[in-house]
Amino acid sequence: MLATYAIPDVIVFVVASALMLVGAVLVITVKNPVHSALSLIMTFFGIAIAFIELDAHFLAAVEIIVYAGAIVVLFLFVIMFLGVDRPDVDTGEPLVGQRPLAALGVLITVAGVVVMMAHSHWVTGASSASTNGIPSQGGNDNIKALGTAVFTTYLYAFEITSALLIIAVVGAVILARKERSLDLVGEDA
Amino acid sequence: MTIPASWYLIVAALLFGVGAFGFLTRRSALIMFMCIEIMLNAVNLTFVTFAHSLKDIGGQAAVFFVLVVAAAEVTVGLGIVVAVFRRRSSTAVDELSELKG
């Protein structure tokens, strides 16, 4: 079965999938939060490789810069800032049978998604309004097509994201700063 | 012949499953946020796979917005984690049981 596909494509797929899945499993299994964050970088690299294989070159670069760069650094910063970089104590199960039930629910979800994918056929006729019929392509055309879509069809959504980011920054500052005047009754450390 | 889209979709489904399982079982709020990122990335992979197979840039534009929202969500979420840690000296979500009836 593998022989019917180009060998380089198969190698890229296997490497990307292995990086993603092993990284994700490490994130949820290792005890130290710092190791989890580093495993998360591994997952993001796998996803970036898959994006390149799928001709999404701009998003692959953004995946590395924003996710593996900014977001993971933010995680690591908070881990160090809070001083929780020691092994996490997962003491037993507060809810009876949580893990088996979680595993069962996840299994049903994934199996349902896979069965749905196997049984559905995707309409490939009309493309959405975003491209005006321009197909997505690799190389510079990918960036050009994505930029055109974002700044024409999705212009309002793009403008609204700027408001979202401002709100997020202000909210994070308000949440994370020390409230001296309002916190007289709290046992603030 | 290139890799069929369904292979990437199945990997994305598995990745989402791993993230969901971690979110449901781990106690640390930080690890739960990382699991949310894993699930968001699994969905991003699905979007890009469909954008590739349907020759439509709209899927990639959707991923672009998911990225922005994920960045905002992580910023606010970690702010909440820091604020909770000030009160509780712990990131375990089991500690947050004040509203228990």
Side-chain angles (χ1 to χ4, degrees):
Chain A
M1 182 185 167
L2 286 176
T4 55
Y5 306 113
I7 296 298
D9 285 346
V10 173
I11 291 172
V12 168
F13 172 78
V14 169
V15 168
S17 308
L19 278 175
M20 270 181 240
L21 292 175
V22 171
V25 169
L26 282 176
V27 167
I28 69 167
T29 51
V30 297
K31 294 290 176 202
N32 191 331
V34 177
H35 295 169
S36 285
L38 295 178
S39 307
L40 200 59
I41 294 182
M42 192 168 147
T43 303
F44 292 152
F45 264 96
I47 294 203
I49 293 171
F51 280 4
I52 292 172
E53 176 72 2
L54 294 168
D55 287 337
H57 298 153
F58 175 74
L59 289 175
V62 169
E63 179 86 15
I64 297 295
I65 294 168
V66 172
Y67 270 113
I71 288 182
V72 172
V73 166
L74 197 60
F75 270 115
L76 285 172
F77 180 78
V78 169
I79 290 168
M80 300 297 178
F81 178 64
L82 299 182
V84 290
D85 54 335
R86 58 185 178 277
D88 186 24
V89 276
D90 269 352
T91 48
E93 297 190 31
L95 295 174
V96 179
Q98 189 186 12
R99 269 169 212 213
L101 280 178
L104 186 70
V106 166
L107 206 66
I108 289 171
T109 308
V110 171
V113 169
V114 171
V115 167
M116 246 167 51
M117 283 193 300
H119 284 237
S120 61
H121 68 98
W122 303 308
V123 179
T124 55
S127 61
S128 75
S130 61
T131 57
N132 302 318
I134 306 160
S136 70
Q137 287 160 334
N140 289 329
D141 290 340
N142 165 251
I143 298 171
K144 197 184 285 181
L146 183 57
T148 308
V150 167
F151 287 108
T152 55
T153 313
Y154 300 105
L155 182 62
Y156 288 118
F158 179 77
E159 296 291 345
I160 289 167
T161 57
S162 61
L164 177 72
L165 285 174
I166 288 289
I167 293 167
V169 169
V170 173
V173 169
I174 288 175
L175 281 169
R177 75 169 178 180
K178 287 201 164 148
E179 294 181 41
R180 293 184 194 287
S181 55
L182 298 174
D183 212 33
L184 296 172
V185 288
E187 77 277 30
D188 195 9
Chain B
M1 199 176 167
T2 55
I3 298 284
S6 56
W7 292 18
Y8 280 107
L9 295 178
I10 286 170
V11 169
L14 290 176
L15 196 63
F16 186 90
V18 172
F21 183 74
F23 183 80
L24 291 171
T25 54
R26 288 302 295 262
R27 301 276 182 282
S28 166
L30 285 165
I31 307 288
M32 290 170 76
F33 268 112
M34 292 182 200
C35 291
I36 291 175
E37 295 305 311
I38 290 174
M39 289 192 277
L40 284 171
N41 271 279
V43 176
N44 280 351
L45 183 59
T46 311
F47 268 123
V48 172
T49 306
F50 275 118
H52 181 69
S53 68
L54 302 182
K55 302 266 181 275
D56 187 340
I57 201 72
Q60 293 188 21
V63 172
F64 182 82
F65 291 115
V66 170
L67 268 162
V68 177
V69 174
E73 170 252 330
V74 163
T75 313
V76 175
L78 290 178
I80 292 172
V81 169
V82 170
V84 169
F85 189 85
R86 288 236 172 83
R87 298 259 168 199
R88 308 252 149 215
S89 298
S90 166
T91 58
V93 290
D94 292 334
E95 305 274 324
L96 305 173
S97 57
E98 280 169 352
L99 287 179
K100 194 188 255 179

